[in-house]
Amino acid sequence: GQNIDQPTEMTATEGAIVQINCTYQTSGFNGLFWYQQHAGEAPTFLSYNVLDGLEEKGRFSSFLSRSKGYSYLLLKELQMKDSASYLCAVIDSNYQLIWGAGTKLIIKP
Amino acid sequence: IAGITQAPTSQILAAGRRMTLRCTQDMRHNAMYWYRQDLGLGLRLIHYSNTAGTTGKGEVPDGYSVSRANTDDFPLTLASAVPSQTSVYFCASMETSGTPADTQYFGPGTRLTVL
């Protein structure tokens, strides 16, 4: 079966750094997405990785290791507005997105 | 219209009733998707359409049907609603250019409660 694992919930302090991990087991791999979803809203695209390594985009960075089936999303200089759920999704061999259950990130002042 | 719209925003429905959730996109994307999102379970694919005139079943298709008569519209129908179909429903679209970098864009969601 296909499976994506993320921590259910994490807590961090405003101004700090937090790393959200994602491990996956899928039938094929054609890329990995991270999405942000605020409560009551739709998911919005954050990043895409298909090759090993780190992709940096402002305060957010995403890392991928295909051999380990592992990715992380790194958020720096945390702001209160970063409180949201972060969803990891993998494109499988049929070009369908397989979604993790999401990590709820709570930012404390 | 800009992006993807869904209607209604929310709905309370009696069990056994028929309901159609509407989804329209103006980006001329080839592919469209319907997901349901339940607490602790993440997004689950109900049905998808890779191009107008074709549809396919996702992970949880039972009790739902879709049609794709044109590029822009992808309605989801619950023929006879049951309480387990209480959920938030998201429609998404994606331009399938053949590269894995295609991104799914989401509508604002429909919150459905079946009593």
Side-chain angles (χ1 to χ4, degrees), chain A residues 11-44:
Chain A
T11 302
T13 304
E14 189 177 17
I17 298 173
V18 71
Q19 177 176 311
I20 303 174
N21 295 325
C22 170
T23 58
Y24 62 89
Q25 292 177 307
T26 57
S27 57
F29 177 85
N30 283 299
L32 184 145
F33 288 104
W34 283 97
Y35 278 75
Q36 181 190 59
Q37 186 177 25
H38 285 100
E41 298 181 8
T44 55

Side-chain angles (χ1 to χ4, degrees), chain A residues 30 33 35 37 42 48 97 99, chain B residues 35 37 45 100 102-104 107:
Chain A
N30 283 299
F33 288 104
Y35 278 75
Q37 186 177 25
Y48 168 78
L97 273 173
W99 293 85
Chain B
Y35 293 95
Q37 187 175 38
L45 183 65
D102 296 321
T103 301
Q104 285 195 358

Side-chain angles (χ1 to χ4, degrees), chain A residues 36-44 80-86, chain B residues 90:
Chain A
Q36 181 190 59
Q37 186 177 25
H38 285 100
E41 298 181 8
T44 55
M80 297 304 293
K81 67 179 181 179
D82 296 330
S83 292
S85 288
Y86 291 86
Chain B
F90 287 104

Side-chain angles (χ1 to χ4, degrees), chain A residues 28-35 45 47-51 64 66 89-97, chain B residues 33 94-104:
Chain A
F29 177 85
N30 283 299
L32 184 145
F33 288 104
W34 283 97
Y35 278 75
F45 171 78
S47 68
Y48 168 78
N49 294 71
V50 68
L51 299 177
L64 174 68
R66 289 171 297 172
V90 171
I91 305 176
D92 70 6
S93 56
N94 294 318
Y95 285 90
Q96 295 294 329
L97 273 173
Chain B
Y33 309 82
M94 184 166 75
E95 175 59 43
T96 51
S97 60
T99 71
D102 296 321
T103 301
Q104 285 195 358

Side-chain angles (χ1 to χ4, degrees), chain B:
Chain B
I1 298 178
I4 303 177
T5 59
Q6 292 184 235
T9 303
S10 65
Q11 181 75 45
I12 298 174
L13 190 66
R17 297 296 296 269
R18 180 184 179 90
M19 175 74 190
T20 295
L21 308 184
R22 299 184 298 278
C23 174
T24 300
Q25 54 107 356
D26 65 355
M27 297 176 283
R28 309 300 294 173
H29 285 170
N30 296 332
M32 297 187 75
Y33 309 82
W34 273 106
Y35 293 95
R36 60 178 289 173
Q37 187 175 38
D38 303 291
L39 193 64
L41 293 179
L43 288 161
R44 291 185 291 169
L45 183 65
I46 305 171
H47 285 286
Y48 65 93
S49 168
N50 287 331
T51 188
T54 69
T55 62
K57 293 181 179 180
E59 179 185 357
V60 288
D62 294 342
Y64 305 95
S65 64
V66 292
S67 61
R68 187 88 183 277
N70 56 61
T71 298
D72 298 343
D73 301 301
F74 191 43
L76 176 73
T77 297
L78 288 68
S80 179
V82 295
S84 62
Q85 292 177 311
T86 294
S87 187
V88 179
Y89 291 85
F90 287 104
C91 178
S93 73
M94 184 166 75
E95 175 59 43
T96 51
S97 60
T99 71
D102 296 321
T103 301
Q104 285 195 358
Y105 296 91
F106 286 80
T110 294
R111 185 175 297 277
L112 181 67
T113 302
V114 182
L115 302 176

